[in-house]
Amino acid sequence: MEDKESNAKKGSDAVDELIQLLKAGDPALLLACYSIIKVLDPEMPKNWGPAVERISKVTGKLKSDIQVSFTGTKVTLAIAVISAGTGGGNQVERKPVDDYRTDQGLPDDLIRILKLFTGATKPNEVAQTEFVKNADLTKGHAYFRDLSRENKVKLIRYLRTHRNTLVERALLGRGDAIIVDGKKVGVDHVNLFAFYDKQKPADKAWSYVAASDVIQSVFTTDVQPSSRGERQIQIGHGITLKRYGGSLFTGDTSIKDHLQIQISPRKVLAESTDWHRFRALTEHLSFEIDDKLSNAQSEAAHRGLEAEQALIEKINRHDPDCLWIVEECCETEGYGNFKAKKPGNREKPDVLIYDDPSNILAMKGISMKTYKPEVSFSQANRGSLETYVEELGMSYGVAETLRAFVVKNHKGERTMLNEAPVSAQDELLRFFQLYQRQIISHVLRGKAKGVLKADWLLLHETINEDWISKVGNRDYWHLYPMATVIDCCCTEAPSITKAGNMILGLGLTLQRKGGDGGAKSANDLQFKLNPKLIHEALRN
């Protein structure tokens, strides 16, 4: 993905090294490939293990660097390599501003402002009112801080509307056919990112990140001016929009004033799935992975899987550190005969505590959410729109508004909730306001007709890699009755955000899932919980 000529050789070497890891059957890399293939090919046998069939190195200005096919599945994975060196950022895309008019249908007014921002339109070619008073324009272009207040407001608003498409196409590609030796080997739509940190030892240099996780981590941050003097624009976590002022050779001006999208690899990786940290678990899984893992969710989900197992093991050996959890959930004194286990994959609780394995109705269900203090978001529920329409009894109008929100049209565009007609927004909000408590209960506790419910929410705060030694420590593990959590969420009314998603209640949002390499599951509705916000609200 590094298309700067000076980085071409280094980038090619990293791609060649990744190819060798594929050929050698690197366990962590194959686990990442397996997890994504499992999502894209749900008919694949559960005991299937990935065996590389063909590897094609991609050249040119496409986003994917490698196309990999495997025996036993028709899915071909597109892998992109992102190297992190001593610098702070890598260029992922650079184009003339006008190219985005045809490529993504950006409105003329946004194109106009971006030309001021990049210098494609020179300051002396327009009225001074396009800029703030005393703006330093001798450089031949405007920083964000130099634009007039009206232009700043418009630019942020436009970018919030078009940010998703800008980022997804810059990082994942545009679905172009990839031709190698005259044959189509795949499409340019990245499924997996391979991060290569040049400053780490060789055995720790590679991290493998599902494309859906990268996109989700990027979208955790709103569009806003950069913190360093408001020169550039941060269009997502670790993603910067800026003017390109470089050249191909000394004296060349052909690519000056282009619009550049830049990624800060370490920032993005810090909030995404790090498969390298998860490598130790692969020895025990032998690719017999349950649905939670194969869905390739965020790094927090993988830490959560380990945390759930660690909690179960401690309870089952009656470790004193976890006694308080059993006592509060089961209203008992001491461990007695209580044990813990994981329920089936389709059940809402993550952990069940019981003293009689035959008495299902007496079991206490715990929903666990693992989070970092500085990064707090966790998937609470996900499913197809059709499923929620049936389960929540949505009206036709509400369903159609959400359909336009999650399903892209023939132009590859979708209607954000704040772009829907005012009457549709009003109907949507009335529905979620009227049934807020029932919907939140459905999302957090489980289906009304379900046998097993999540009666408790257990929040697990991780501050470093030594969290495993703190399992059950009350300073980092916080237990709340789910009914109390639902009450807490209902203290904030449903609303539509500036980014066009929905706040369902305090700490709970609704958005389109996205990612998944263009699979149908990308159109799922996803409810996300902010564990840190919930904990801070309930502990006071």
Side-chain angles (χ1 to χ4, degrees), residues 307-353:
E308 291 165 14
Q309 192 58 44
L311 177 66
I312 289 171
E313 291 177 359
K314 275 203 165 189
I315 290 177
N316 287 342
R317 65 171 181 260
H318 290 184
D319 190 297
D321 291 342
C322 298
L323 173 60
W324 68 276
I325 296 175
V326 173
E327 289 183 332
E328 288 193 30
C329 288
C330 303
E331 297 181 347
T332 185
E333 292 185 8
Y335 270 112
N337 295 322
F338 282 98
K339 294 183 178 181
K341 68 176 183 178
K342 285 193 65 62
N345 288 332
R346 300 298 178 185
E347 303 295 345
K348 185 60 184 176
D350 298 305
V351 175
L352 292 173
I353 300 178

Side-chain angles (χ1 to χ4, degrees), residues 177-192:
I178 295 179
I179 309 298
V180 176
D181 296 330
K183 296 182 180 180
K184 180 180 176 180
V185 298
V187 295
D188 189 35
H189 190 97
V190 175
N191 309 109
L192 177 68

Side-chain angles (χ1 to χ4, degrees), residues 11 50 75-76 88 127 142 157 189 234-235 252 288 295 312 351 371 395 402 522 528 537:
V75 173
T76 298
R157 186 175 70 242
H189 190 97
Q234 182 178 328
I235 58 174
D252 172 57
E288 294 278 338
N295 281 339
I312 289 171
V351 175
Y371 70 98
S395 67
L402 291 175
K528 301 193 78 171

Side-chain angles (χ1 to χ4, degrees), residues 198-394:
K198 300 173 184 177
Q199 295 185 326
K200 289 186 177 181
D203 63 334
K204 297 181 179 179
W206 288 96
S207 297
Y208 308 112
V209 185
S212 58
D213 290 334
V214 170
I215 296 300
Q216 287 184 17
S217 68
V218 167
F219 291 164
T220 59
T221 300
D222 194 12
V223 177
Q224 57 192 5
S226 61
S227 57
R228 296 183 179 180
E230 294 194 351
R231 295 185 177 190
Q232 302 157 359
I233 305 168
Q234 182 178 328
I235 58 174
H237 184 80
I239 304 291
T240 303
L241 191 70
K242 59 188 295 188
R243 169 188 180 264
Y244 182 76
S247 60
L248 296 175
F249 50 84
T250 303
D252 172 57
T253 60
S254 63
I255 58 176
K256 279 185 179 294
D257 304 333
H258 282 194
L259 191 65
Q260 182 184 36
I261 298 177
Q262 190 175 73
I263 185 172
S264 298
R266 293 188 181 93
K267 282 187 178 181
V268 173
L269 181 59
E271 291 198 20
S272 304
T273 306
D274 184 349
W275 289 98
H276 182 84
R277 295 179 191 172
F278 204 57
R279 180 178 296 178
L281 191 57
T282 67
E283 299 174 3
H284 306 292
L285 293 175
S286 300
F287 302 110
E288 294 278 338
I289 306 174
D290 69 10
D291 288 344
K292 276 193 175 178
L293 182 56
S294 64
N295 281 339
Q297 292 300 319
S298 66
E299 178 187 343
H302 302 313
R303 285 196 312 274
L305 181 66
E306 294 181 275
E308 291 165 14
Q309 192 58 44
L311 177 66
I312 289 171
E313 291 177 359
K314 275 203 165 189
I315 290 177
N316 287 342
R317 65 171 181 260
H318 290 184
D319 190 297
D321 291 342
C322 298
L323 173 60
W324 68 276
I325 296 175
V326 173
E327 289 183 332
E328 288 193 30
C329 288
C330 303
E331 297 181 347
T332 185
E333 292 185 8
Y335 270 112
N337 295 322
F338 282 98
K339 294 183 178 181
K341 68 176 183 178
K342 285 193 65 62
N345 288 332
R346 300 298 178 185
E347 303 295 345
K348 185 60 184 176
D350 298 305
V351 175
L352 292 173
I353 300 178
Y354 63 97
D355 63 351
D356 181 357
S358 64
N359 190 354
I360 296 176
L361 295 178
M363 294 181 178
K364 301 299 180 181
I366 298 176
S367 174
M368 285 183 57
K369 299 299 177 187
T370 297
Y371 70 98
K372 293 180 179 179
E374 71 278 11
V375 183
S376 183
F377 61 93
S378 176
Q379 178 176 292
N381 209 315
R382 177 174 69 85
S384 67
L385 173 60
E386 290 73 19
T387 298
Y388 285 119
V389 168
E390 179 180 352
E391 293 178 350
L392 301 179
M394 293 180 182

